[in-house]
């Protein structure tokens, strides 16, 4: 059983979700949290990962390290997205098993589900249709990670869970124009427009795709909740159960910052999947629910972004 004295290895602790997990474990007074930076351990290197895990012998592993990005990065760095993610997962999940780790959380994403899935998306819809082409390599890698955990649970009687969050946002997000997801990209575009006194922002596609957003602190909370929970399912959706269009999110950020900018839609750029609303009833039935409202989460995120960019 995992408790505050358990040794927990968090892989990817500098990322958006990994850093939220570290903050949450710290608040909850977990005393033995282990991290290692990418320069000291490339998680794609299975030999080195096995050596590391065999030495530290954690009670649990949370795998929040991955090659991650928005539509542009997913679509153009297709080789890196499939190779890095398959390699990181194979290394960390297999080495955890070999090192005797019984409890593991593997983070995936809602893009594993079919492009034209019935909504809201239940866990059982996995592999029931074609994937969205722009992020197919990433999704295939994540699906392989889920199947690895499912197979290891069955064959080796382990407690490896795969949490599939919707789009995340929060403190320490990535605002790089090429790599960022739609929400931090919107924040940057709007803040930059204010900073450089522009009247218009540009949005990829027609602004109509619906997206579900969850604060990274709530994903961190779900990781710790499900690490301690006995479940019969390996795959569990994590979300709020609510979505809005990209245009609505842009207007929300503008309202929050007290500006009204014109939106120009780049219709020659892809929309991505039109809707991917998760059915979160399984997580809810186990007693987990998101806590951070969009208003509160947006405020925390904007403060973090403005502070980091010293422009408030
Ligand atoms: N962001 C979202 O909207 C979202 C939504 C749903 C699910 N998720 C999932 O949550 C997980 C974490 O996502 P995130 O948004 O927190 O990503 P992130 O901010 O990009 O963080 C990923 C972390 O992984 C590390 N990493 C990447 N390649 C590595 C390697 N070869 N060896 C060691 N470390 C490596 C990165 O280290 P460096 O910083 O040193 O490169 C970084 O700390 C991913 O599995 C993702 O699929 C994310």
């Amino acid at each position: 059983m995992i408790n505050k004295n358990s040794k927990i290895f968090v892989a990817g602790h500098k990322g958006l979700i990994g850093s939220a997990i570290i903050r949450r474990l710290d608040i909850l007074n977990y005393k033995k949290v282990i991290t290692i930076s990418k320069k000291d351990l490339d998680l794609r290197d299975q030999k080195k990962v096995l050596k590391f895990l065999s030495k530290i012998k954690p009670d649990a592993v949370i795998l929040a390290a991955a090659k991650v990005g928005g539509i542009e990065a997913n679509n153009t760095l297709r080789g890196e997205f499939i190779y890095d993610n398959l390699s990181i997962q194979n290394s960390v999940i297999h080495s955890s098993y070999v090192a005797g780790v019984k409890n593991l959380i593997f983070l995936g994403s809602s893009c594993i589900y079919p492009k034209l899935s019935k909504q809201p998306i239940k866990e059982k819809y996995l592999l029931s249709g074609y994937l969205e082409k722009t992020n197919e390599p990433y999704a295939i890698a994540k699906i392989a990670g889920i199947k690895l955990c499912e197979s290891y649970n069955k064959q080796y009687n382990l407690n490896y869970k795969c949490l599939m969050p919707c789009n995340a946002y929060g403190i320490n997000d990535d605002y790089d124009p090429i790599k960022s997801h739609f929400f931090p990209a919107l924040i940057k575009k709007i803040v930059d427009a204010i900073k450089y006194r522009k009247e218009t922002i540009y949005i990829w596609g027609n602004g109509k795709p619906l997206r579900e957003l969850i604060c990274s602190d709530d994903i961190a909370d779900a990781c710790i909740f499900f690490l301690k929970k006995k479940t019969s399912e390996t795959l569990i959706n994590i979300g709020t159960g609510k979505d809005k269009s990209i245009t609505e999110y842009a207007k929300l950020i503008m309202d929050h910052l007290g500006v009204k900018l014109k939106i120009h839609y780049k219709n020659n750029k892809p929309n991505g999947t039109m809707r991917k609303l998760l059915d979160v009833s399984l997580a809810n039935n186990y007693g987990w629910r998101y806590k951070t409202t969009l208003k509160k989460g947006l405020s925390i995120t904007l403060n973090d972004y403005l502070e980091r960019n010293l422009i408030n």
Side-chain angles (χ1 to χ4, degrees), residues 15-17 38 42-43 64-66 68 88 107-108 138 142 165-166 168 181:
L16 169 67
I17 294 168
K38 188 163 131 191
D42 183 337
L43 294 170
V68 176
I88 291 171
L107 282 161
Y138 177 71
K142 292 289 183 189
C166 57
H181 289 95

Side-chain angles (χ1 to χ4, degrees), residues 5-43:
N5 282 312
S6 301
K7 218 190 256 187
I8 302 179
F9 169 49
V10 180
H13 66 289
K14 289 186 187 161
L16 169 67
I17 294 168
S19 58
I21 294 168
I22 297 292
R23 286 196 302 276
R24 184 94 194 124
L25 287 168
D26 189 44
I27 290 168
L28 294 174
N29 207 20
Y30 278 77
K31 296 181 184 74
K32 297 176 190 160
V33 178
I34 297 161
T35 59
I36 185 162
S37 70
K38 188 163 131 191
K39 78 172 169 26
D40 293 323
L41 181 63
D42 183 337
L43 294 170

Side-chain angles (χ1 to χ4, degrees), residues 110-119 121 125 128-135 211 270-276:
S110 56
C111 70
I112 56 161
Y113 292 112
K115 179 183 169 85
L116 301 174
S117 177
K118 239 176 17 180
Q119 308 280 326
I121 309 171
Y125 300 163
S128 62
Y130 293 107
L131 297 164
E132 156 65 29
K133 280 283 167 221
T134 51
N135 58 30
R211 291 291 177 264
N271 274 317
T273 303
M274 287 311 286
R275 192 174 197 201
K276 40 182 180 177

Side-chain angles (χ1 to χ4, degrees), residues 71-91:
I71 195 166
E72 167 81 352
N74 264 280
N75 199 19
T76 51
L77 308 174
R78 299 175 77 87
E80 287 177 43
F81 269 76
I82 192 159
Y83 177 78
D84 283 14
N85 285 309
L86 283 173
S87 304
I88 291 171
Q89 294 158 203
N90 282 346
S91 289

